[in-house]
Amino acid sequence: MIKPWYKQFWPWFLIALPGTVVVASLFTFSLFSKNQVSLVAEDYYKQGKGINQDLTRLRKADELNISAFLSADQEKATFSLDKGELTQFPTLRVTFQHRTLADKDIEKMVNADASGNYRIALTEPLQGPWYIELNAFDGTWALNGRANFPSSDPIKLYGSSKE
């Protein structure tokens, strides 16, 4: 006596193979749609033209002998600025850019305390590779550097020349 097809092993096995592929592809699609990575900027041409402006601001920081050190722990990031030829400690726009996760980027305006240090409270600890940029509030000069966190040593931020 022959069993009907729906009670046999092989038809269900053959149906299960493409079924698992469909389920796995739907899972993969939902996973990648929730965790998008924004590596390419839509205005890449405009950003490319802006590189030359950044270089002039970095050179201006070198002319003024400005440099900075960054120390970061779990709760805060502290910048100590060597103001060089500046007469006072200026207000700074500090930017932390993550290499691949744009939603983790941090941009803040900060003022110096009495000892010339700039402090930023962090909502979460810095982990992995970051690009750090310090800009004068008026945009006349800039310092930048790359860091891999956590770091026990202070990170030096430069103008256009590396010492």
Side-chain angles (χ1 to χ4, degrees), residues 65-84:
N65 295 320
I66 302 170
S67 64
F69 284 96
L70 164 65
S71 301
D73 58 24
Q74 301 291 329
E75 296 90 26
K76 69 182 180 313
T78 305
F79 294 91
S80 58
L81 182 71
D82 177 7
K83 62 182 180 160

Side-chain angles (χ1 to χ4, degrees), residues 54-68 142-145 156-163:
D54 287 345
L55 292 177
T56 57
R57 292 184 304 142
L58 294 172
R59 288 187 193 112
K60 183 67 175 175
D62 281 344
E63 289 173 16
L64 296 171
N65 295 320
I66 302 170
S67 64
L143 300 172
N144 66 16
K156 182 153 185 173
L157 304 177
Y158 299 94
S160 62
S161 67
K162 303 236 179 192
E163 296 174 356

Side-chain angles (χ1 to χ4, degrees), residues 14-154:
L14 294 175
I15 292 171
L17 289 176
T20 56
V21 171
V22 169
V23 170
S25 63
L26 290 174
F27 173 74
T28 304
F29 177 75
S30 67
L31 182 70
F32 284 120
S33 66
K34 291 177 187 173
N35 301 316
Q36 294 178 351
V37 177
S38 58
L39 293 176
V40 179
E42 291 184 23
D43 59 347
Y44 64 91
Y45 182 72
K46 186 187 238 182
Q47 288 182 359
K49 286 175 37 178
I51 290 173
N52 290 335
Q53 293 174 349
D54 287 345
L55 292 177
T56 57
R57 292 184 304 142
L58 294 172
R59 288 187 193 112
K60 183 67 175 175
D62 281 344
E63 289 173 16
L64 296 171
N65 295 320
I66 302 170
S67 64
F69 284 96
L70 164 65
S71 301
D73 58 24
Q74 301 291 329
E75 296 90 26
K76 69 182 180 313
T78 305
F79 294 91
S80 58
L81 182 71
D82 177 7
K83 62 182 180 160
E85 297 176 15
L86 296 175
T87 56
Q88 61 187 13
F89 288 102
T91 300
L92 298 178
R93 185 180 55 203
V94 179
T95 307
F96 286 90
Q97 293 177 336
H98 194 273
R99 185 178 294 172
T100 56
L101 303 172
D103 59 333
K104 291 191 176 238
D105 291 354
I106 302 167
E107 185 168 342
K108 301 232 179 183
M109 295 290 281
V110 292
N111 290 314
D113 61 10
S115 59
N117 292 322
Y118 299 83
R119 289 182 176 75
I120 296 175
L122 300 173
T123 56
E124 61 184 58
L126 298 173
Q127 298 288 329
W130 291 82
Y131 174 76
I132 301 110
E133 186 172 83
L134 294 179
N135 289 293
F137 72 97
D138 57 0
T140 54
W141 57 266
L143 300 172
N144 66 16
R146 297 187 189 287
N148 205 357
F149 292 104
S151 175
S152 58
D153 298 329

